[in-house]
């Protein structure tokens, strides 16, 4: 992992921003590939980041969801060990309207359902449709949005 910080100055105080990537899929190969995509993208950005890998929507996952103070990008599968990524996204949105949520799933038939369920995902990507390029594009958008948001706070 490459770590570089975004440092902004406000009234003489340094403020540092970090992006937390929270990746959950029960397929370890998909998780590793997504993490490699994130690492490659972040090497090109001047941003501190951390990747949190999960293979199940468990207590550790929800503990990470509850952490406050960083920009979060969730990359979620729709179905992980009989648990619904859609329900997880709803739970995230109950307390966090700012984070980006990207669905990466083999359930492409769920796209319309996700869009109309007040989850406000940044994107919905099928694992069977060149997902690597689409994920790179959405991650670039999310990183740019966080940078703009943080700059606009001053």
């Amino acid at each position: 992992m490459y770590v570089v910080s975004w440092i902004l100055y406000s009234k003489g105080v340094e403020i540092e921003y970090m992006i937390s990537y929270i990746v959950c899929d029960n397929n370890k190969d998909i998780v590793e590939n997504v993490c490699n995509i994130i690492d490659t993208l972040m090497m090109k950005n001047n941003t501190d980041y951390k990747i949190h890998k999960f293979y199940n929507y468990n207590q550790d996952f929800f503990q990470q969801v509850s952490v406050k103070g960083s920009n979060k990008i969730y990359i979620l599968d729709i179905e992980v060990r009989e648990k619904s990524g859609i329900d997880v996204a709803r739970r995230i949105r109950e307390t966090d309207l700012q984070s980006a949520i990207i669905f990466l799933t083999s359930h492409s038939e769920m796209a319309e359902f996700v869009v109309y369920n007040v989850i406000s995902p940044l994107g919905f990507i099928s694992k069977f449709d060149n997902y690597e390029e689409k994920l790179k594009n959405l991650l670039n958008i999310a990183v740019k949005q966080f940078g703009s948001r943080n700059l606009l706070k001053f």
Side-chain angles (χ1 to χ4, degrees), residues 3 6 8 16 24 38 40 53 62 69 82 87 90 96 99 106 114 120 140 144:
V3 178
W6 255 341
L8 301 176
E16 197 169 334
C24 188
I38 293 167
T40 301
K53 299 186 240 184
F62 287 108
E82 294 86 40
D87 291 340
R90 280 191 198 114
D96 182 357
S99 292
S106 57
V114 168
S120 302
N140 271 313
K144 287 177 185 175

Side-chain angles (χ1 to χ4, degrees), residues 50-108:
K50 182 163 180 146
I51 301 172
H52 306 274
K53 299 186 240 184
F54 299 94
Y55 306 102
N56 197 354
Y57 297 122
N58 57 21
Q59 183 178 0
D60 292 337
F61 175 87
F62 287 108
Q63 182 177 355
Q64 187 58 47
V65 168
S66 69
V67 171
K68 305 276 189 241
S70 67
N71 298 303
K72 295 179 186 173
I73 299 174
Y74 293 91
I75 302 164
L76 307 176
D77 193 357
I78 295 278
E79 184 180 1
V80 176
R81 294 190 169 92
E82 294 86 40
K83 291 189 181 176
S84 168
I86 296 169
D87 291 340
V88 169
R90 280 191 198 114
R91 187 168 166 184
I92 291 167
R93 286 291 182 238
E94 287 174 6
T95 58
D96 182 357
L97 297 173
Q98 300 300 314
S99 292
I101 297 175
I102 299 169
F103 287 101
L104 178 61
T105 186
S106 57
H107 292 283
S108 57

